[in-house]
Amino acid sequence: MFGIVGVPVIEIAIAAQVAGIKYVGMRNEQAACYAASAIGYLTGRPAVCLVVSGPGLINTLSGMANSNMNCWPLIVLGGSSDSNQETMGAFQEFPQVETCRLYSKLTARPSSLEAIPIVIEKAVRTSMYGRPGACYVDIPGDFVNKMVDRSLVRYTTCCLPRPISLADPLEVQKAVAALKNAQNPLVIVGKGAAFSRAENIIQRLVNECGLPFLATPMGKGVVPDNHPFNVAAARSNALLHADVILLLGARLNWILHFGLPPRFRPGVKIIQVDICPEELGNNVKPVASLLGDINAVTQQLLDELLKSSWKYPTSTGWWKSLSTKIQANEENSKVLASQTTLPMNYYTVFHHVKQALPNDCIIVSEGANTMDIGRTMLQNNYPRHRLDAGTFGTMGVGLGFAIAAAMVVKDGSPEKRVVCVEGDSAFGFSGMEVETICRHNLPIIIIVVNNNGIYNGLDEGTWNDMLKAGDTALVTPPVSLMPNARYEQVMTAFGGKGYFVQTPEELQQALKSSLSEKRLPSLINVMIDPQSDRKKQEFHWLTRSNL
């Protein structure tokens, strides 16, 4: 349970601890909700976000919307004004149930204390079943300290695990026929596959059928990034020239350019596998629509493909074309990473970070260029080991996600590291959660890639010259932030380790020191060229194009 307590929910947090539920007090309701939703993705079971009424609940809506857009299970418990004061202008009175309907799969206000268990059970079940998402339960303030007759309480047993559904066998046969006839096949792995725990069967599909694949940002690691069939380094080329695409738990939204030209080949045949029927046929007409659990449906596909021992040959022109493009793009990145001029650029920073990070660390990333370039350079070789701005493109999620990941790691794999790579603008959204990290002694490593702005900023000399020109509100570019801000001092203020880095040597030493420290959190503030940007990339992550 994550949250911020106040009237009327303080007693709920205390009672949760008495019941053995871990309560993590955060500094902002948005971050608390982001953390709770990330637990849902990482574990498959919803965590709880506990917030106060009115403004507290309103601050939570960003996290609820983000959870719903990412399809992650989440329970939000919101305190509300006393039931006998409704419409009277009570303290922080607000139409919370009605408001949350836009941001969740289920909203409910128990009619009595006795009804709370069955409402919570339905919320837990609804958050997980079908397409996962957020559920909201409203708790009136006068319920919190009322007495209840235990004999009247209505209990029910939660139906777990969630039911598994299979695709129509006829659709499976259509999909298999399309794959066998493909000249340029491609598998796209989404975070739905990661949530479904489908990594073993998808790896078998890729290996045994010889299929090239690429992953969406949080689908990374379902099949290891270092797999020889990974064509992410030629992503644009692969999307543009594939004639048959198998879509495993990924949606044809802005992240995949809606499945349409000019980013996709006209007439490309799409095989959709998704748990949500409404998603099938969105933006394109699929050649086969496989409704069901990704893990189970992939097993159906593989069983059918192996009946004829089918395997896509690696000697084709398609493989040669992809390999050539991969090599060219990797060479471009190496050239950029090898630049020795100061300040450093993004590629140089990520080159050294990649060299230092443990193979199994969980990477949390947010920002604009920081997230996009980091996604291409930092590898994930295990599923559910990358968390980022996601489908909703939400900034401010980083520290909440990192706290959630660290809580999961603390329980199961205490030696595993959580590394949060942030742009300086992104860090500012929830920077005070550093206190939460230090209070709970979570050994998270935060790397702030600092370019003094949003997308880009100004160097200190230009900034000082500009300030002489007059009113900062009139002359400061909207994308600019304070140059050379000492974000590492936020960490040291609360007892963690802080590093101010300007050279590759300083970065290497800071990474080495942070990774060797297993008990204390750390923040590495890395100064880069304010005008550093993506260069020599095929095209931007966003759908807009200059083509």
Side-chain angles (χ1 to χ4, degrees), residues 145-199:
N145 289 308
K146 272 186 177 180
M147 303 299 290
V148 62
D149 184 342
R150 287 181 178 272
S151 66
L152 299 177
V153 175
R154 297 157 62 190
Y155 290 104
T156 186
T157 302
C158 193
C159 295
L160 295 173
R162 59 192 178 91
I164 301 300
S165 54
L166 295 171
D168 182 342
L170 292 178
E171 292 297 309
V172 172
Q173 290 177 12
K174 290 181 187 177
V176 168
L179 283 171
K180 286 183 175 180
N181 291 323
Q183 298 297 311
N184 301 350
L186 178 67
V187 176
I188 299 179
V189 182
K191 68 176 176 290
F195 183 82
S196 181
R197 273 56 182 172
E199 53 267 21

Side-chain angles (χ1 to χ4, degrees), residues 90-329:
F91 175 67
Q92 295 185 333
E93 183 177 358
F94 188 74
Q96 297 180 183
V97 174
E98 295 87 340
T99 299
C100 289
R101 291 193 202 283
L102 290 173
Y103 303 90
S104 55
K105 292 181 68 180
L106 172 75
T107 61
R109 186 175 191 176
S111 57
S112 64
L113 287 174
E114 292 80 9
I116 287 176
I118 62 169
V119 171
I120 294 294
E121 186 277 335
K122 184 167 185 178
V124 170
R125 178 162 39 89
T126 302
S127 75
M128 298 169 61
Y129 281 23
R131 172 180 279 181
C135 292
Y136 174 70
V137 178
D138 197 69
I139 306 294
D142 55 319
F143 277 27
V144 175
N145 289 308
K146 272 186 177 180
M147 303 299 290
V148 62
D149 184 342
R150 287 181 178 272
S151 66
L152 299 177
V153 175
R154 297 157 62 190
Y155 290 104
T156 186
T157 302
C158 193
C159 295
L160 295 173
R162 59 192 178 91
I164 301 300
S165 54
L166 295 171
D168 182 342
L170 292 178
E171 292 297 309
V172 172
Q173 290 177 12
K174 290 181 187 177
V176 168
L179 283 171
K180 286 183 175 180
N181 291 323
Q183 298 297 311
N184 301 350
L186 178 67
V187 176
I188 299 179
V189 182
K191 68 176 176 290
F195 183 82
S196 181
R197 273 56 182 172
E199 53 267 21
N200 291 336
I201 190 63
I202 292 177
Q203 288 177 30
R204 281 193 61 201
L205 175 73
V206 167
N207 289 330
E208 297 185 33
C209 295
L211 292 169
F213 77 94
L214 58 82
T216 64
M218 279 188 275
K220 282 164 61 71
V222 170
V223 184
D225 278 349
N226 61 8
H227 194 287
F229 294 169
N230 182 10
V231 297
R235 178 182 185 273
S236 299
N237 187 274
L239 293 180
L240 183 59
H241 296 291
D243 63 348
V244 175
I245 294 177
L246 173 60
L247 205 61
L248 297 174
R251 288 171 279 177
L252 293 176
N253 54 22
W254 68 275
I255 292 177
L256 287 175
H257 319 296
F258 314 110
L260 299 173
R263 303 302 177 85
F264 282 71
R265 176 177 180 161
V268 60
K269 295 179 180 179
I270 303 288
I271 302 166
Q272 280 186 284
V273 183
D274 204 284
I275 194 68
C276 178
E278 289 82 0
E279 199 60 45
L280 300 173
N282 191 38
N283 296 326
V284 301
K285 183 179 180 181
V287 67
S289 299
L290 281 66
L291 175 64
D293 175 77
I294 307 298
N295 192 29
V297 173
T298 305
Q299 182 69 65
Q300 286 181 279
L301 283 169
L302 183 60
D303 289 345
E304 195 68 26
L305 286 164
L306 292 182
K307 284 180 181 178
S308 58
S309 301
W310 179 81
K311 187 170 185 176
Y312 183 69
T314 56
S315 58
T316 63
W318 176 229
W319 267 118
K320 292 176 182 176
S321 170
L322 292 172
S323 298
T324 301
K325 198 65 177 177
I326 288 170
Q327 186 175 357
N329 286 343

Side-chain angles (χ1 to χ4, degrees), residues 347-396:
Y347 295 87
T348 302
V349 170
F350 284 121
H351 169 74
H352 292 292
V353 171
K354 178 181 178 180
Q355 297 296 318
L357 291 190
N359 186 51
D360 65 346
C361 71
I362 296 177
I363 298 173
V364 180
S365 185
E366 64 170 332
N369 293 333
T370 298
M371 183 175 65
D372 291 347
I373 298 172
R375 182 190 69 251
T376 63
M377 295 192 68
L378 301 181
Q379 291 199 330
N380 294 96
N381 294 318
Y382 296 90
R384 298 168 296 280
H385 278 53
R386 178 180 169 88
L387 295 160
D388 66 22
T391 307
F392 213 24
T394 309
M395 292 296 106

Side-chain angles (χ1 to χ4, degrees), residues 37-51:
S37 67
I39 292 286
Y41 175 63
L42 292 169
T43 69
R45 294 287 302 274
V48 176
C49 180
L50 176 68
V51 296

